[in-house]
């Protein structure tokens, strides 16, 4: 049972345009959502997060939107840069168990 | 912020051999600790997590085990490795008592031949 899903395994975007990465979840008890960036053979790097009591959080070029009624979150990267090319994981945390459940990742390729 | 140390970084082991991956955490006390595995082309699968010394929760039935002998030390072990144990293993640490940012180590690449 995949509680956190990233249905797009890959995404290609032109440099300077917007990248939108999507994530869906099933457990309404999740209270915190995070996005990580990962390069091959390295540990994931934290990008941005959002609490379940908010619907938007912004940090520089990165914005995360949360739609609780749809159990959906998205990460917007504007403008996209070639250095943003990596695999992006969304994650959700369960406050009752302190578990963090990750999606399967979306590989973003930003074309110069 | 926290710093997560993992070792060894790379390991090649024959089928049936034992395994020990170690993880230590700096910059916090009483963290929640996690072991994840990323198989080739796959997402991050939660294997074990611990909210305190000696407290281990297992997520996936397998021939791996975890132990937490000290507050900031987390060990992943196996008595006999299988081919399917190959993958990229990640240790992570989160703050005690609430859910917030999760910090990751650099990972350990295990190849079972």
């Amino acid at each position: 049972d995949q509680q956190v899903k990233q249905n797009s395994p890959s995404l290609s975007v032109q440099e300077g345009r917007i990248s939108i990465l999507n994530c869906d979840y099933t457990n309404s008890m999740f209270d915190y959502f995070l996005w990580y960036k990962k390069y091959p053979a390295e540990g994931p790097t934290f990008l941005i997060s959002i609490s379940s009591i908010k619907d938007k959080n912004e940090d520089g070029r990165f914005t995360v939107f949360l739609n609780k009624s749809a159990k959906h979150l998205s990460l917007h990267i504007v403008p996209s840069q070639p250095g943003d090319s990596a695999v992006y994981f969304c994650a959700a945390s369960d406050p009752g168990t302190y578990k963090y459940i990750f999606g399967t990742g979306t590989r973003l390729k930003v074309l110069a | 912020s926290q710093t997560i140390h993992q070792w060894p970084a790379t390991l090649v082991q024959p089928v049936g051999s034992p395994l020990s991956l170690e993880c230590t955490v700096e910059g916090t006390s009483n963290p929640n600790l996690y072991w994840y595995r990323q198989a080739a082309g796959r997402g991050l699968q939660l294997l074990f997590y611990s909210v305190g010394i000696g407290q281990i929760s297992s997520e996936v039935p397998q021939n791996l085990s975890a132990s937490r002998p000290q507050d900031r030390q987390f060990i992943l072990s196996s008595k006999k490795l299988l081919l399917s144990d190959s993958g990229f293993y990640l240790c992570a640490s989160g703050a005690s008592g609430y859910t917030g940012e999760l910090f990751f180590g650099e990972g350990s690449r295990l190849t079972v031949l």
Side-chain angles (χ1 to χ4, degrees), chain B residues 9-40:
Chain B
T10 305
L11 200 58
V12 180
Q13 293 285 97
V15 170
S17 65
L19 171 73
S20 180
L21 299 179
E22 293 199 34
C23 170
T24 58
V25 180
E26 292 180 358
T28 188
S29 60
N30 195 29
N32 296 330
L33 298 176
Y34 307 81
W35 278 111
Y36 287 87
R37 176 173 61 199
Q38 183 182 22

Side-chain angles (χ1 to χ4, degrees), chain B residues 14-106:
Chain B
V15 170
S17 65
L19 171 73
S20 180
L21 299 179
E22 293 199 34
C23 170
T24 58
V25 180
E26 292 180 358
T28 188
S29 60
N30 195 29
N32 296 330
L33 298 176
Y34 307 81
W35 278 111
Y36 287 87
R37 176 173 61 199
Q38 183 182 22
R42 306 285 294 276
L44 299 179
Q45 181 186 32
L46 178 62
L47 301 176
F48 300 94
Y49 66 101
S50 170
V51 298
I53 296 174
Q55 301 178 58
I56 309 294
S57 297
S58 174
E59 284 296 291
V60 181
Q62 58 212 329
N63 69 322
L64 299 172
S65 62
S67 62
R68 185 171 177 174
Q70 300 181 46
D71 180 43
R72 290 173 291 170
Q73 183 184 24
F74 207 22
I75 298 171
L76 183 69
S77 304
S78 174
K79 293 182 179 179
K80 290 186 177 182
L81 285 168
L82 305 173
L83 287 173
S84 58
D85 292 323
S86 293
F88 192 60
Y89 289 81
L90 289 155
C91 179
S93 174
S96 173
Y98 68 96
T99 49
E101 185 179 340
L102 199 60
F103 297 88
F104 281 88
E106 287 302 309

Side-chain angles (χ1 to χ4, degrees), chain A residues 31-32 34 36 38-46 87 89 93-95 97-105, chain B residues 32 34 36 38 42-44 46 49 51 59 88 90 94-95 97-107 109:
Chain A
D31 72 335
Y32 200 70
L34 310 93
Y36 284 83
K38 188 181 182 302
Y39 295 114
E42 292 184 11
T45 302
F46 172 77
V87 177
F89 289 97
S93 63
D94 182 339
T97 61
Y98 302 111
K99 289 195 297 187
Y100 289 74
I101 306 300
F102 281 76
T104 50
Chain B
N32 296 330
Y34 307 81
Y36 287 87
Q38 183 182 22
R42 306 285 294 276
L44 299 179
L46 178 62
Y49 66 101
V51 298
E59 284 296 291
F88 192 60
L90 289 155
Y98 68 96
T99 49
E101 185 179 340
L102 199 60
F103 297 88
F104 281 88
E106 287 302 309
R109 168 74 60 194

Side-chain angles (χ1 to χ4, degrees), chain A residues 6-12 21 86-88 104-109, chain B residues 41:
Chain A
Q6 293 176 257
N7 292 317
S8 299
S10 63
L11 174 69
S12 291
L21 297 96
V87 177
Y88 289 77
T104 50
T106 296
R107 182 176 302 278
L108 174 65
K109 182 179 288 187

